[in-house]
Amino acid sequence: MDSFPTLDDAPVDGRRILVRVDFNVPVKNGGVGDDTRIRKSLPTLRELLQRDATLVLCSHLGRPKGPQDDARMGPVAAHLATLLEREVRYLATPGPGSSEQRAFVAEAPRGSVTLLENTRFDPREKANDPELASILAGYADAFVNDAFGAAHRAHASTEGVARLLPSCAGRLLERELRVLGGLLEAPERPFVVLLGGVKVSDKIDVIRRLLEVADRLLIGGAMAFTFVKARGGRVGDSLVEEDRLELARELMSEAQEQNVELLLPTDALCAREIAPDVPTAVHPVDSIPDGERGLDIGPATVAAFEAALEDAATVLWNGPMGVFEVPPFDTGTRKVAEALAASGAMTVIGGGDSVAAINGLGLADEIGHISTGGGASLELLEGKTLPGVAALGSVAWA
Ligand code: ADP
Ligand code: MG
């Protein structure tokens, strides 16, 4: 991993700091739903306030086409105020960079916290327009990026502004980079990777990169059926990416060349449709009758995966083992989640749905690191440099 400046290196004390946070949280009826992302930013914000900084925070929220009342940051500001136990200044504005906003930021008292309006109200955000970057840069003396979930996007508030102000990573971004980057560099062994979810095609580059470092690769979820079919199995009506069968064969031989032990499911819990309490049957994974679909890993696979996780020193999990949203197809996901929670290994979970699954099971506290970035964590695990990180430190601190 390339090196990057952190709050340890940055003289932020007493200064005005623009902080890019990831407050892209669900907002409903004027309230914040799952506030994990806001909570994860608190250590950075508290540290900056302790160091007597004045904070100007910015984030995107959702995918608005322009200024949109249902995507305003107001509810987030109110929620943050409760968590921080202090006032959070917020002004609903047409967008970032409006004259109203400039005046509001100019009036921010020393030591205050101001949250700017949704950065994506302005089309210049996603275009990484230098004009918007320079307006944002004008709000502060320095820039702290703590938005891991947005670090794979070169936007004005992530990449552009880091080219204009002295900058560093916040504590959340720092931890994400160290933990996920560390997996690729020097994982404690055995290093076991557990992959699931829908598509092989979403995760090809991650699988390739991980085959270079993992000792064992366990594949469940819908993506397993593409591998099983590629090997010649009959998978009934299970989800298969027909145009990726060749790729699956390539990945299987790469695993062999790299001496990675590859475990595919041996059995599957099947049904004719996805619905709660439909009739189900367990079939060997390579002889699923037509009309039936594999919707979860079966009990023999659960046992094999549990055994394969037992002696692990490091585990990375991305992607549910089955349709965990609909019982009884949640069993495989729950069992591997419990195995991870009980494990003495360094456990890391990335991916929106896998994280939702572990939160839903109430096991999040038993996991070593839960990544806040879906797309960003995948890109980092592919070995890519994230533009929001690469730009940090390009302007020297005075
Ligand atoms: P993540 O967000 O953790 O990276 P993905 O988005 O790749 O995971 O996949 C999550 C989805 O995969 C879930 O909605 C789940 O229902 C679905 N899924 C898992 N196994 C199967 C299966 N056997 N058949 C159909 N869908 C599946
Ligand atoms: Mg997902």
Side-chain angles (χ1 to χ4, degrees), residues 66-85:
Q68 224 172 275
D69 276 338
D70 61 357
R72 291 201 179 278
M73 300 302 290
V76 178
H79 196 85
L80 177 63
T82 311
L83 294 176
L84 272 180
E85 297 180 303

Side-chain angles (χ1 to χ4, degrees), residues 184 189 206-215 254 258 260:
L184 297 180
R189 301 185 177 281
V206 183
I207 299 176
R208 283 235 156 86
R209 184 68 185 85
L210 288 171
L211 282 174
E212 295 171 18
V213 282
D215 297 300
E254 263 177 63
Q258 302 266 11
V260 179

Side-chain angles (χ1 to χ4, degrees), residues 196-199 202-203 220-223 225 239 274 293-296 318-325 350-355 378:
V198 200
K199 290 180 176 172
D202 286 346
K203 297 178 184 173
M223 78 157 72
F225 296 106
L239 275 184
I274 302 178
R293 313 162 59 172
L295 297 173
D296 193 13
N318 174 288
M321 295 294 103
V323 184
F324 73 101
E325 301 92 334
D353 291 291
S354 336
V355 171
L378 286 181

Side-chain angles (χ1 to χ4, degrees), residues 245-326:
L245 294 172
E246 188 48 44
L247 171 83
R249 279 187 281 268
E250 268 170 44
L251 292 172
M252 286 187 280
S253 60
E254 263 177 63
Q256 216 163 22
E257 280 161 32
Q258 302 266 11
N259 260 323
V260 179
E261 193 186 336
L262 177 68
L263 268 79
L264 290 172
T266 53
D267 60 348
L269 182 66
C270 305
R272 305 189 81 84
E273 56 172 334
I274 302 178
D277 306 317
V278 289
T280 59
V282 175
H283 294 291
V285 77
D286 50 8
S287 47
I288 298 175
D290 288 340
E292 292 195 41
R293 313 162 59 172
L295 297 173
D296 193 13
I297 53 175
T301 306
V302 168
F305 283 11
E306 282 169 346
L309 289 165
E310 207 148 81
D311 68 339
T314 310
V315 182
L316 168 66
W317 177 27
N318 174 288
M321 295 294 103
V323 184
F324 73 101
E325 301 92 334
V326 185

Side-chain angles (χ1 to χ4, degrees), residues 186-209:
E188 284 212 45
R189 301 185 177 281
F191 175 23
V192 181
V193 176
L194 177 62
L195 286 183
V198 200
K199 290 180 176 172
V200 190
S201 49
D202 286 346
K203 297 178 184 173
I204 301 167
D205 294 326
V206 183
I207 299 176
R208 283 235 156 86
R209 184 68 185 85

